[in-house]
Amino acid sequence: MNPKRILFIHGSESSGQTYKAGLLRTFFPEMLSPNFTDDLDERLAQLRLITGKTTDWTLIGSSLGGLTAAIFAAQAPTQVRKLVLLAPALTLSAFDPYRSGHIQTPTVIIHGTQDDVVPWALVRPIAESVFPNVKFYIVDDDHRLHKTAETLDWKTILA
C-alpha cells in the first residue's frame, strides 16, 4: 500500500475533517481527506482531479463517499488498488448503471446492523452481485459507525 495514496471521501452531510477521517489520520498521517461537494457529479470530477492519472489508490468512502468511490473504481479500475466502503449508499439510483457489471477491485464493506439511513440488508445483495472480491464486516452500530471505527484494525483492513 502506498501511504501517500490513501484518500478518504466523506458523506453528504460531513467534511474532510469528520471524526472518521481524523481517526484514520492517526494511523495514516499522509491520508488525503479533502472536502467534497454534495453533488455526485462534482464529487467525481473532484476525485478525478485529485487522482490524476496515478494508480495504486486506496479509497475509503463513507455513505455517499462510498458510492463515489465505487463509481470511480468502476470508471477507472486501473487506478484503484482497494476500496473500503463504510455504510456505502449503493442503494441510490446513481449506482444503477454499475449494478450489471463487476468491479474487480478488492473491496471491504463495513456496515452497521442499526443503520436506518442505508440499511445493510439492502446493500449486501447489491454489493455481492457487483464486487466479486468483497469482504463484509457487519457490526452492531448505526450509519455513522462511530462506535465501531475505534475498534477496527485499520492497518489490516487497508493492507
Side-chain angles (χ1 to χ4, degrees):
M1 166 181 49
N2 185 336
K4 295 182 181 174
R5 296 214 178 116
I6 301 173
L7 179 67
F8 181 83
I9 307 166
H10 62 81
S12 65
E13 295 180 14
S14 191
S15 75
Q17 307 314 308
T18 185
Y19 167 77
K20 287 177 281 205
L23 176 68
L24 287 165
R25 260 194 304 287
T26 65
F27 300 104
F28 309 101
E30 297 185 20
M31 179 186 79
L32 301 175
S33 58
N35 290 324
F36 286 87
T37 60
D38 286 339
D39 178 82
L40 183 61
D41 290 332
E42 290 178 32
R43 283 172 166 256
L44 287 164
Q46 286 176 268
L47 186 51
R48 285 185 207 102
L49 283 174
I50 293 166
T51 59
K53 295 192 183 294
T54 57
T55 60
D56 203 32
W57 285 95
T58 298
L59 301 180
I60 305 166
S62 180
S63 193
L64 183 61
L67 174 64
T68 306
I71 290 173
F72 182 81
Q75 294 174 343
T78 61
Q79 288 186 261
V80 183
R81 183 190 76 82
K82 188 167 196 174
L83 289 171
V84 178
L85 308 178
L86 311 174
L90 302 180
T91 56
L92 294 179
S93 62
F95 196 61
D96 288 350
Y98 306 98
R99 288 187 188 186
S100 60
H102 290 308
I103 300 172
Q104 299 296 326
T105 305
T107 302
V108 172
I109 295 178
I110 303 167
H111 215 120
T113 57
Q114 300 170 42
D115 188 336
D116 59 358
V117 177
V118 183
W120 73 273
L122 298 178
V123 169
R124 188 170 193 149
I126 295 168
E128 287 175 337
S129 70
V130 174
F131 303 99
N133 189 5
V134 65
K135 179 175 182 176
F136 281 93
Y137 290 83
I138 304 299
V139 297
D140 182 25
D141 209 341
D142 61 18
H143 186 67
R144 294 166 29 128
L145 297 169
H146 282 193
K147 288 190 308 186
T148 302
E150 294 181 10
T151 66
L152 293 170
D153 180 355
W154 289 106
K155 290 188 178 192
T156 299
I157 290 169
L158 270 65

